[in-house]
């Protein structure tokens, strides 16, 4: 109904560069809505968002979005987003597809994007995370990334990938149902 809207808040949150923040809560508690507002996918009607201590104006939205890599709950990969990347030549890409144990899939993907339809949900999310990491953005937003992952990949994410990102002073904001 266009006459009704939803409300999130009041919310007061400070995230520093290099923080890893996990937002958890039950179904329908507003986790994904919060991410959609934070990344300007939903229009903010009131309130203030500060970035590097400066209030964000409407003109700041596009440059701010350019600093964010997002992996949504439902991962979709499109060739036109990555055609400028030479994945076959990228040492980091090869390291990451080995780390996430999708080397064969990752190499086929790099050569022919049509192979993505044959991937499981967990494999698509791993590949989406790898491509997001290659984007090398300041902020990484993950909406229930671990949901379809085996425990070994969840552990890899929590105990290796997040510490790596923190060491690089990247900010990670993750929505999760995993209390781990």
């Amino acid at each position: 109904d266009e006459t009704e809207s939803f409300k999130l808040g009041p919310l007061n949150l400070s995230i520093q560069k290099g923080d890893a923040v996990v937002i958890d809560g039950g179904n329908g508690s507003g986790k994904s809505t919060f991410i959609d507002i934070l990344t300007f996918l939903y229009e903010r009607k009131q309130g203030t968002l500060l970035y590097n201590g400066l209030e964000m104006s409407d003109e700041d939205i596009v440059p701010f979005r350019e600093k964010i890599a997002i992996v949504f709950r439902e991962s979709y990969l499109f060739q036109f987003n990555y055609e400028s990347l030479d994945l076959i030549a990228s040492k980091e890409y090869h390291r990451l597809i080995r780390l996430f144990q999708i080397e064969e899939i990752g190499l086929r993907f790099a050569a022919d994007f049509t192979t993505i339809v044959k991937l499981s949900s967990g494999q698509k999310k791993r590949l989406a995370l790898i491509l997001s990491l290659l984007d090398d953005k300041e902020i990484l937003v993950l909406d229930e990334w671990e949901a379809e992952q085996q425990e070994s990949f969840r552990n890899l994410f929590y105990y290796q990938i997040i510490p790596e990102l923190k060491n690089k002073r990247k900010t990670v904001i993750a929505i999760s149902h995993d209390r781990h």
Side-chain angles (χ1 to χ4, degrees):
D1 184 351
E2 292 180 16
T3 61
E4 292 191 27
S5 64
F6 59 89
K7 180 178 175 181
L8 179 70
L11 181 67
N12 186 359
L13 176 67
S14 177
I15 301 172
Q16 302 300 313
K17 184 174 184 163
D19 281 353
V21 177
V22 177
I23 300 166
D24 72 351
N27 289 336
S29 63
K31 301 178 304 293
S32 295
T33 300
F34 164 72
I35 289 299
D36 292 343
I37 292 171
L38 179 72
T39 58
F40 291 101
L41 294 176
Y42 288 162
E43 184 178 348
R44 173 178 46 113
K45 297 291 184 190
Q46 64 184 50
T48 304
L49 179 64
L50 302 176
Y51 181 72
N52 288 336
L54 302 173
E55 185 173 343
M56 302 264 306
S57 68
D58 291 341
E59 294 79 37
D60 298 324
I61 291 172
V62 172
F64 179 72
R65 280 185 183 153
E66 292 296 317
K67 299 173 187 304
I68 303 172
I70 305 173
V71 179
F72 291 102
R73 233 179 356 253
E74 299 291 328
S75 296
Y76 298 97
L77 301 168
F78 300 98
Q79 182 172 1
F80 65 86
N81 288 352
Y82 307 105
E83 60 192 2
S84 64
L85 295 175
D86 187 356
L87 298 175
I88 298 296
S90 170
K91 290 180 183 178
E92 182 64 0
Y93 179 72
H94 286 271
R95 181 184 81 84
L96 290 168
I97 62 174
R98 278 191 305 277
L99 184 66
F100 281 100
Q101 299 175 21
I102 58 169
E103 191 166 19
E104 181 181 321
I105 292 165
L107 291 173
R108 283 196 332 256
F109 174 80
D112 178 9
F113 280 71
T114 61
T115 61
I116 62 174
V117 296
K118 300 173 185 167
L119 303 181
S120 71
S121 295
Q123 290 169 329
K124 285 180 185 176
K125 282 186 174 187
R126 280 184 263 157
L127 191 52
L129 178 57
I130 288 168
L131 294 170
S132 293
L133 294 173
L134 291 175
D135 272 346
D136 199 31
K137 305 281 184 160
E138 289 181 31
I139 303 166
L140 179 62
V141 176
L142 304 167
D143 192 358
E144 297 183 32
W145 180 85
E146 81 296 334
E148 284 96 12
Q149 302 300 328
Q150 297 168 348
E151 187 172 343
S152 61
F153 295 115
R154 286 194 304 268
N155 287 337
L156 178 76
F157 173 70
Y158 291 124
Y159 297 114
Q160 186 168 346
I161 300 298
I162 288 182
E164 263 185 42
L165 293 169
K166 287 177 67 68
N167 285 339
K168 293 178 180 178
R169 303 269 302 136
K170 304 290 183 184
T171 303
V172 179
I173 304 169
I175 299 290
S176 178
H177 284 286
D178 184 2
R179 294 286 175 146
H180 181 41

